Amino acid sequence: MSNPKPSASFIQRLQNRFFAIPAVAEWWAGRFVRRVRSSADGPTPFAHLTKPLAECTVALITTGGVHLTSQPAFDMADPDGDATLREIPGDVALADLTITHDYYNHSSADRDLNVIFPLEQFRELAQRGVIGGVARRHFGLMGHIEGEHLRRLQEKTAPEIAAKLRADGVDFAFLTPA
Amino acid sequence: MGLVTREIEAAGIPTVAISLALEITQNVGVPRALFVKWPLGHPLGEANAPAQQRTILFESLRLLLTATEPGVIAEPGYRWRRQEYSEPVWGELEIVNGE
């Protein structure tokens, strides 16, 4: 988490504090809903676990902008966001991860990545035998995707994640927002 | 994030998502979500608060095991910074899991 990069602007930080207030976030969500609804039509899919939880492998997916310090950062210059994917190895050291995402205040997650990417916590659950284990790779995305990039997320990135989860024998996925 | 949960679930892999924005989650149609009315950037709670973080994982796993239809949103109602957490009783998951 020590990767130095230009910090978010003062205005952006101010905006992030404002949007951190739950009531403000809800108001924003109401505006956002109208745009995403059309891209998620049809019945909500539903799958079942096929084995006991203690034998299940979990993969983590976050839209909080988590990636390896050695990977390219998410594109913060594009106002429509960045719909590309960052693969995170299951045996990664948390010190090799960082967050690129100017649209929320991630100071808590910078101090303790488990706040948004609870890989250490899931490793501990695997040791306790609550779950079977953590997957060989996890996925970092950047939320705040709009316009053309929303189509890329839907048509390319999301199916790619699903295919990789299947290839890795993942039994369930745990997702966290920014 | 909702779009991604739907795509994974459609591929036959169950998902459980944390939600910090109830209205979006309801409208996107997320298969299973645990909603916490907390500030953005804190889906599992506060930094260096392992009992709080594990409580959220426990509630998520319970939802994964108990949900019987798509679109379930569990709302445990934890208050931000005004809630005390203790270590979850993990054995309860084995009971709901029918082991």
Side-chain angles (χ1 to χ4, degrees), chain B residues 16-55:
Chain B
V16 57
I18 305 296
S19 167
L20 294 167
L22 185 58
E23 205 177 345
I24 291 183
T25 304
Q26 285 168 336
N27 282 278
V28 173
V30 172
R32 296 167 209 76
L34 186 79
F35 171 67
V36 280
K37 198 170 180 177
W38 291 347
L40 296 181
H42 299 83
L44 278 94
E46 295 166 66
N48 305 313
Q52 180 182 25
Q53 295 169 4
R54 284 206 284 269
T55 297

Side-chain angles (χ1 to χ4, degrees), chain B residues 7 17 19 30 32 38 40 45 47 51 56 58 60 62 64-65 68-69 84 93-94 96-97 99:
Chain B
E7 192 71 33
S19 167
V30 172
R32 296 167 209 76
W38 291 347
L40 296 181
I56 294 305
F58 178 85
S60 303
R62 180 155 63 185
L64 180 70
L65 293 169
T68 54
E69 56 178 14
E84 294 206 359
L93 291 180
E94 289 172 29
V96 296
N97 202 13
E99 287 175 18

Side-chain angles (χ1 to χ4, degrees), chain A residues 28-41:
Chain A
W28 165 80
R31 294 173 46 109
F32 182 76
V33 157
R34 281 185 292 279
R35 279 179 289 147
V36 295
R37 187 181 283 161
S38 61
S39 55
D41 281 342

Side-chain angles (χ1 to χ4, degrees), chain A residues 4-45:
Chain A
K5 65 165 74 80
S7 60
S9 70
F10 172 73
I11 299 288
Q12 190 66 56
R13 288 200 307 273
L14 203 64
Q15 206 175 326
N16 291 347
R17 288 185 73 113
F18 182 63
F19 277 94
I21 303 165
V24 174
E26 259 177 70
W27 162 81
W28 165 80
R31 294 173 46 109
F32 182 76
V33 157
R34 281 185 292 279
R35 279 179 289 147
V36 295
R37 187 181 283 161
S38 61
S39 55
D41 281 342
T44 304

Side-chain angles (χ1 to χ4, degrees), chain A residues 161-174:
Chain A
I161 294 173
K164 287 179 172 170
L165 296 181
R166 283 193 70 90
D168 292 351
V170 168
D171 297 299
F172 73 95
F174 178 80

Side-chain angles (χ1 to χ4, degrees), chain A residues 68-137:
Chain A
L68 292 169
T69 52
S70 58
Q71 289 169 330
F74 289 101
D75 181 2
M76 297 311 310
D78 189 329
D80 283 345
D82 182 342
T84 60
L85 185 65
R86 303 288 181 279
E87 284 187 22
I88 300 166
D91 60 357
V92 70
L94 293 200
D96 292 335
L97 293 171
T98 188
I99 295 174
T100 303
H101 200 316
D102 292 349
Y103 299 112
Y104 75 102
N105 179 349
H106 44 80
S107 56
S108 294
D110 288 339
R111 281 184 282 133
D112 176 9
L113 199 58
N114 286 292
V115 162
I116 196 155
F117 190 71
L119 188 57
E120 278 181 338
Q121 294 288 5
F122 271 113
R123 283 175 179 159
E124 192 173 323
L125 293 189
Q127 275 185 349
R128 288 173 184 229
V130 174
I131 61 167
V134 299
R136 56 178 287 264
R137 51 187 169 176

